[in-house]
Amino acid sequence: MKSAYNKVDAEIIFKKYPDISQELALRIYTSQLMGSNPHLVLHGGGNTSVKLRQKNILGEEQDVLFVKGSGVDLADITPEGFLELDLAFLIKLRMVKNLNDEEMESQLEIHKLHRSPLNPSVEALLHAFLPAKYIDHTHADSILILTNQSEGADLIRQALGPRVAVLPYTMSGLPLAKAVAAQYEKRPDLEAIVIINHGIFTFGEEAITSYERMIDVVDRAEKYVNQRIQGTSLITPRTDIKIATDEKSLAARLAQIIRGSCAHQGPDGKLRHLIVEYRDTPELLNVSLSQEAPVLCDSGVITPDHVTRTKNKIAYLDYVPEPDDSLKEKVRQIIEDYVKNYRHYFQEQVQAKGLDRKELDPFPRVFLVAGLGLLTLGFSRKEAKIAADIAEHALYAKARAEVLGNYVPITNSHVFDMEYWSLQQRKLSHILPLPPLQGQVALITGAGGAIGLGIADRLLAAGSAVVLSDIDESGTQKARSILKKRHENAEIEIIPFDVTDYHSVETAFDEISRRLGGVDIVVPNAGIAHVAKIEDLDPLKMDQVISVNLKGTFNTIKASIPVFRRQNTGGNIVVISSKNVFDPGAAFGAYSASKAGAHQIAKIAALELAEIGVRVNMVNPDAVFGDEEISSKLWDLVGPDRMRSRGLDYDGLKEYYRNRNLLKAQVLAEHVGNVVVFFAADLTPTTGASFPVDGGIAAAFPR
Ligand SMILES: [Zn+2]
């Protein structure tokens, strides 16, 4: 590991933030350097601080602790990622004997010197008590490989020498802050302090000193570990099992089953859906097929900080049966055992500690699957990815630690303290009130056009992840870039497929499941139009329109059914029908008849899928024009003709359709999207219904 510090990059940060002091700018720069090294920190892990003297609004000098906000990712931290705290006051908290969670949170909250929605890092008091100007803290893999051993303290001394102190595990917060400060005062010559089972703190008067000490110490730990385990293979391959033959499709089915089995009722009584991340790197496949896999999965997190992301234990599937029924049964057993163990751990800890805590959901977040790799879950895709990154690192680190000597897992008591610490739980978004469709996955076909965009826009706003599909790939790319601009952190995937080809649709559902775990909301929206009177209608054209509008809807619904069945958590199909189904127009036979067919298929699906909790409803829009950003393909086609016949320009035509409806309303794509969200949110027990979005057209009232 080498220092990545260089003056030119530091200058870039100075220029980027001209309004902050260079000392703070350097804090941001070296924090980013650490954050971008996955061997030091992963996603929101680790924390940094700097102590500065600043004038307050009255012009009085004040000591300020700038400390990273909890959960903020060091890799792209900005000045807003730091909180400003009243250092003089925080230092005095050292005199307090005990500080419970709520009181510590409250003290940190009321001693902020600048408004910020962030919570201070759980290690804020430690940053306050240690007198050094700059402090850096990580949970570096190689440090943990050494500390999580029966002779951990000795190994750290051997590997890192006399200027690195080692302290036993102490709960983060006031106790750890006091212990670290006392150690530092005894030995001010120290360069770093290592906490068994937790991580490492380095410090210095300059940003570069503290950062480079981190690099230097971690580098020495890495070299020491590598030297000790050199020549030994990390794992012993199993000989009884191989990589699955139909790996890709099996992974898709397994993801759906796992996703469904881990969905659970949230505190508000509503079903919480999770997103699945699937990884099958060669290294992960090797670990999954090793004799050590069960031990590596069962030995828990390498630092308690990870527990809120991955839970303590990894669920291990030692083989994967191919038939659906056996696969479901296998997953059911594994989860049942996992849940039982989790509940036991929770009960044991609350009783031992005499605490009153509400149990978190007992479901696994990480599965290692023999011959398939890793599947992780999160309430958002981001959380699922974080869990995967951490689990991958932890598996390799634990494999190395096992070879090095005698890996000692962290005690349940320590893990519990961190898992049930309110400050730590705040990092997780699922504790907060959630948008209605959080954790759900929606597929929209025909997503390259105006209505598809409007639907995706509203689904994203409601918290769903969306998969855009269209045979017009440039349209979907454009839709994605528009949506990305409108929604920060939008979870958007593009999977192009041809709705007229059943095999292509089926393959797409597999791909969606490998990327996100499955699907909850299916919106068959792909459609084409053709203008011709029956007398002039080319039978081949008729076939084509039927193929997309009717057969495409049928194919999409049909291919989604096995996914819904495996997930076993219900779902919603919302077919984008048309006002023309009730109120057709001349020269529009191909479109109206094929849409009427699709509408009928949707009603049949409503009859057939109710037993598995899947609702099927229809939206019947009329005259949805596109906008400057994305056009409506239907109006691109029929618009010019109608403008000519009515002697109107484009805006005139829009106006004509607006005046045609009862409410004199312009119908927008997002109105269609709102109805999709309404149905998908399960607000009413409704299936088989049609919902007009047309401004009110008496001839098209559903009947
Ligand atoms: Zn830590």
Side-chain angles (χ1 to χ4, degrees):
M1 189 174 289
K2 286 202 169 63
S3 166
Y5 192 102
N6 81 65
K7 284 200 174 123
V8 181
D9 290 345
E11 293 283 343
I12 294 172
I13 300 279
F14 297 159
K15 286 206 186 90
K16 194 168 173 191
Y17 302 112
D19 300 334
I20 62 171
S21 68
Q22 287 208 352
E23 292 156 303
L24 181 57
L26 286 169
R27 176 67 288 175
I28 289 161
Y29 172 55
T30 57
S31 298
Q32 289 177 354
L33 288 182
M34 289 206 304
S36 52
N37 184 338
H39 296 285
L40 290 176
V41 294
L42 289 169
H43 306 286
N47 44 61
T48 59
S49 67
V50 60
K51 300 180 181 73
L52 298 174
R53 213 166 157 72
Q54 280 190 346
K55 282 203 172 84
N56 67 17
I57 197 165
L58 301 172
E60 300 159 346
E61 292 270 334
Q62 204 169 16
D63 288 320
V64 184
L65 174 70
F66 286 78
V67 68
K68 192 199 88 157
S70 181
V72 175
D73 203 329
L74 284 174
D76 49 15
I77 198 164
T78 62
E80 288 72 42
F82 287 91
L83 286 122
E84 297 175 39
L85 300 172
D86 180 349
L87 181 60
F89 178 85
L90 292 190
I91 287 172
K92 286 191 270 185
L93 283 179
R94 212 174 148 185
M95 296 182 293
V96 173
K97 199 154 182 265
N98 292 310
L99 206 53
N100 66 33
D101 294 1
E102 288 74 22
E103 194 52 58
M104 184 170 104
E105 270 179 65
S106 161
Q107 288 302 321
L108 292 171
E109 183 63 32
I110 59 183
H111 289 97
K112 285 180 182 174
L113 295 176
H114 224 268
R115 264 167 75 149
S116 165
L118 297 172
N119 294 300
S121 148
V122 295
E123 259 106 34
L125 288 182
L126 190 153
H127 287 270
F129 295 176
L130 262 187
K133 183 165 179 167
Y134 288 90
I135 298 169
D136 293 28
H137 169 50
T138 71
H139 311 125
D141 294 349
S142 48
I143 297 290
L144 294 167
I145 290 172
L146 291 171
T147 71
N148 298 14
Q149 301 278 344
S150 51
E151 309 294 328
D154 290 341
L155 284 173
I156 289 286
R157 283 186 209 103
Q158 274 171 35
L160 305 177
R163 293 185 70 189
V164 178
V166 49
L167 291 178
Y169 183 87
T170 309
M171 171 73 175
S172 290
L174 188 65
L176 182 64
K178 283 183 177 178
V180 168
Q183 179 68 26
Y184 180 87
E185 279 159 10
K186 261 189 260 166
R187 297 179 50 197
D189 64 317
L190 286 176
E191 289 177 354
I193 296 177
V194 168
I195 317 295
I196 297 280
N197 292 158
H198 176 168
I200 172 170
F201 291 86
T202 57
F203 25 78
E205 289 312 298
E206 304 287 338
I208 184 173
T209 317
S210 184
Y211 165 73
E212 289 193 337
R213 280 177 173 170
M214 179 66 73
I215 298 295
D216 172 58
V217 174
V218 173
D219 180 58
R220 279 189 280 147
E222 236 169 38
K223 287 194 171 122
Y224 181 86
V225 172
N226 289 341
Q227 201 190 356
R228 286 278 304 260
I229 65 175
Q230 206 177 26
T232 334
S233 69
L234 290 186
I235 49 160
T236 328
R238 267 169 69 179
T239 47
D240 60 324
I241 188 167
K242 291 200 168 50
I243 294 176
T245 40
D246 192 10
E247 188 210 337
K248 288 232 176 294
S249 131
L250 194 55
R253 288 193 285 132
L254 181 63
Q256 295 157 10
I257 292 170
I258 282 180
R259 176 166 191 259
S261 310
C262 291
H264 57 269
Q265 216 177 45
D268 54 2
K270 288 206 307 203
L271 192 69
R272 289 271 179 280
H273 297 264
L274 295 108
I275 305 273
V276 177
E277 167 83 1
Y278 171 55
R279 298 203 179 161
D280 61 347
T281 62
E283 292 83 2
L284 276 171
L285 289 174
N286 283 341
V287 174
S288 78
L289 289 168
S290 70
Q291 292 180 25
E292 291 81 1
V295 173
L296 295 175
C297 289
D298 201 49
S299 57
V301 286
I302 54 172
T303 173
D305 195 58
H306 291 168
V307 73
T308 45
R309 303 295 197 179
T310 61
K311 286 241 153 96
N312 192 29
K313 308 275 168 109
I314 296 177
Y316 181 56
L317 267 75
D318 56 350
Y319 71 96
V320 209
E322 303 245 347
D324 256 14
D325 283 348
S326 335
L327 191 55
K328 275 186 197 160
E329 178 53 23
K330 177 84 182 162
V331 172
R332 192 194 62 75
Q333 272 171 19
I334 298 277
I335 293 180
E336 192 180 282
D337 285 352
Y338 192 97
V339 167
K340 206 169 86 195
N341 289 333
Y342 186 87
R343 297 220 151 114
H344 176 75
Y345 145 81
F346 176 78
Q347 282 306 329
E348 194 180 62
Q349 291 303 317
V350 284
Q351 275 164 22
K353 291 173 195 283
L355 289 170
D356 180 26
R357 288 280 184 280
K358 210 171 163 354
E359 193 192 39
L360 296 168
D361 79 81
F363 295 95
R365 292 292 183 273
V366 185
F367 289 80
L368 184 67
V369 185
L372 280 186
L374 196 70
L375 289 101
T376 61
L377 298 103
F379 291 100
S380 63
R381 193 165 193 205
K382 189 178 168 199
E383 280 185 18
K385 280 179 182 290
I386 290 177
D389 286 350
I390 290 176
E392 253 191 279
H393 261 266
L395 281 168
Y396 304 142
K398 286 196 282 185
R400 278 185 287 156
E402 289 283 358
V403 173
L404 179 74
N406 187 9
Y407 181 83
V408 180
I410 297 164
T411 64
N412 281 348
S413 168
H414 292 157
V415 169
F416 179 89
D417 287 345
M418 196 58 108
E419 189 174 8
Y420 282 85
W421 192 14
S422 50
L423 264 178
Q424 195 68 1
Q425 287 185 6
R426 291 264 177 85
K427 275 189 192 172
L428 296 178
S429 54
H430 69 270
I431 312 281
L432 307 166
L434 292 173
L437 302 180
Q438 180 73 43
Q440 300 205 35
V441 178
L443 164 69
I444 305 154
T445 67
I451 290 187
L453 177 74
I455 296 167
D457 178 73
R458 294 297 82 205
L459 284 168
L460 286 168
S464 174
V466 302
V467 178
L468 308 178
S469 179
D470 202 303
I471 43 166
D472 166 18
E473 279 195 59
S474 70
T476 39
Q477 297 287 357
K478 193 172 170 197
R480 173 163 63 185
S481 68
I482 294 168
L483 292 165
K484 283 263 178 203
K485 268 184 235 145
R486 293 188 196 164
H487 302 273
E488 207 188 338
N489 305 324
E491 291 166 347
I492 306 169
E493 285 290 315
I494 292 181
I495 300 180
F497 62 90
D498 177 359
V499 293
T500 66
D501 170 12
Y502 185 69
H503 179 69
S504 156
V505 182
E506 235 184 351
T507 312
F509 274 99
D510 269 10
E511 183 62 29
I512 294 169
S513 304
R514 277 189 299 275
R515 291 198 208 170
L516 296 158
V519 71
D520 308 285
I521 304 157
V522 174
V523 189
N525 168 60
I528 56 172
H530 181 67
V531 184
K533 290 186 175 166
I534 298 173
E535 196 178 0
D536 308 320
L537 178 55
D538 177 350
L540 285 176
K541 265 286 171 202
M542 182 71 185
D543 281 349
Q544 219 177 45
V545 176
I546 285 176
S547 182
V548 176
N549 297 3
L550 169 55
K551 225 181 124 213
T553 302
F554 162 78
N555 285 343
T556 309
I557 294 175
K558 180 176 166 65
S560 71
I561 298 171
V563 183
F564 284 128
R565 277 200 191 279
R566 284 187 205 104
Q567 291 177 159
N568 196 26
T569 50
N572 277 282
I573 298 174
V574 186
V575 172
I576 306 308
S577 183
S578 166
K579 162 249 169 199
N580 287 47
V581 168
F582 301 112
D583 178 23
F588 221 37
Y591 183 81
S592 300
S594 58
K595 280 286 191 182
H599 196 90
Q600 192 74 339
I601 279 290
K603 286 187 184 174
I604 306 292
L607 296 174
E608 293 175 358
L609 301 182
E611 62 168 26
I612 55 167
V614 174
R615 298 145 195 250
V616 189
N617 292 290
M618 291 74 85
V619 189
N620 296 63
D622 182 41
V624 179
F625 288 80
D627 54 27
E628 306 80 52
E629 287 195 291
I630 215 149
S631 70
S632 155
K633 295 204 174 81
L634 187 123
W635 287 96
D636 290 349
L637 182 84
V638 303
D641 219 37
R642 296 191 183 178
M643 284 188 268
R644 250 192 319 267
S645 66
R646 298 196 169 97
L648 296 166
D649 63 2
Y650 187 72
D651 285 335
L653 193 68
K654 264 192 187 176
E655 229 6 58
Y656 168 82
Y657 279 99
R658 191 173 71 77
N659 279 308
R660 194 174 78 161
N661 65 55
L662 294 166
L663 297 170
K664 311 290 173 217
Q666 197 193 331
V667 185
L668 304 174
E670 65 194 62
H671 296 143
V672 179
N674 286 336
V675 180
V676 173
V677 170
F678 167 75
F679 281 132
D682 287 342
L683 295 174
T684 58
T686 304
T687 192
S690 305
F691 198 124
V693 183
D694 55 11
I697 294 186
F701 285 173
R703 67 207 117 185

